[in-house]
Amino acid sequence: MLVHKIEEVKNITKNWKDCTIALVPTMGALHEGHLSLIKKAKEVCDKVVVSVFVNPIQFGPSEDYDKYPRTLDKDYELCSKEGVDLVFAPSPAEMYGEEQMLSNNTLTFVCPPFFYVNKLCGKTRVGHFDGVCTVVLKLFNIVQPDYAFFGQKDAQQVVIIKKMVHDLNVPVKIVQCPIIREASGLALSSRNKYLSNDGKKNALALSQILNNIRACYKKGITDIAALKETAYGYLTEKHDLEYLEILDKNTLEEQKKADENSIALIACRVENVRLIDNIYLGE
Ligand code: AMP
């Protein structure tokens, strides 16, 4: 079933009192990465709700909100095939109110701690994680899921959402699912649609850099500067590197040396498309 109104979601889910409910929040343009979350949700819960919402308040003024791919008919078809019980695709006005759309100045935001947002994607995407946490908490309140499923692809996002759920005593269990990749190694992303064939080839550098860092770590290199330096062999004038970091995967703290808890994370523009990827060094 596809619904657009918050009240419709509440009317449907109130009949699911004896069921465990999963929520898979997405911005649509669904691909195998999203479907892996949905499949996991189906395994764990009786009922699965997928939200499809391109959330305006998590995009900066110069970001791709207007051109972000919107393919609701196809998304709904894919969800139906996977046996999703409910697809919730609200309008921005439904989520934030008509008057709210004119200005963010009167909206209550959930602002995650500076420690977690002042690094990685948060450094360049100022306010992004405020927008993410705000919409995710709203979705939790609307759907009231027992479990919510997020991808490791957005590793900083999962750490921040887990922290929000812990700090605000939100009664939902967060399940993190592994990154789904093309056979080439490229992490699936709705933004890959913006890339030309050449761009897709150049985008392989991200996963190659991460795989190589892990291989070097496995060979015994734990010096973080040395591990990061191995990236330069893969970068050309086609790559605009935004960050490459090696941090503690649970806390996003800096480490003296890489260890089994390390995660390497990269953000890089190719053809001006901002791509992110990451890898656990201990796995
Ligand atoms: P998005 O629609 O980009 O907001 O993503 C919705 C959810 O799907 C987020 O939890 C993402 O981390 C997850 N996701 C996106 N790409 C992938 C991928 N390649 N593998 C696994 N999960 C993904």
Side-chain angles (χ1 to χ4, degrees), residues 22-42:
L23 173 65
V24 182
T26 82
M27 298 204 298
L30 301 184
H31 50 64
E32 286 295 331
H34 299 111
L35 299 187
S36 73
L37 268 53
I38 293 171
K39 288 186 174 108
K40 185 73 193 165
K42 289 280 296 178

Side-chain angles (χ1 to χ4, degrees), residues 80-100:
S80 302
K81 271 194 199 137
E82 294 298 333
V84 168
D85 299 278
L86 182 60
V87 176
F88 175 45
S91 66
E94 176 68 8
M95 285 299 270
Y96 299 116
E98 297 284 354
E99 67 286 0
Q100 191 61 60

Side-chain angles (χ1 to χ4, degrees), residues 24-37 51-54 58 68 128 132 149-155 157-158 161 175-182 186-192 276-277:
V24 182
T26 82
M27 298 204 298
L30 301 184
H31 50 64
E32 286 295 331
H34 299 111
L35 299 187
S36 73
L37 268 53
S51 59
V52 174
F53 181 55
V54 185
Q58 72 185 65
Y68 196 85
H128 169 71
V132 168
F149 295 76
F150 294 88
Q152 183 200 319
K153 167 83 180 2
D154 298 276
Q157 173 173 280
V158 193
I161 286 170
V175 181
Q176 179 178 300
C177 303
I179 302 176
I180 305 298
R181 301 175 179 282
E182 289 186 357
L186 179 65
L188 295 187
S189 163
S190 306
R191 290 191 170 98
N192 292 352
I276 58 171
D277 200 351

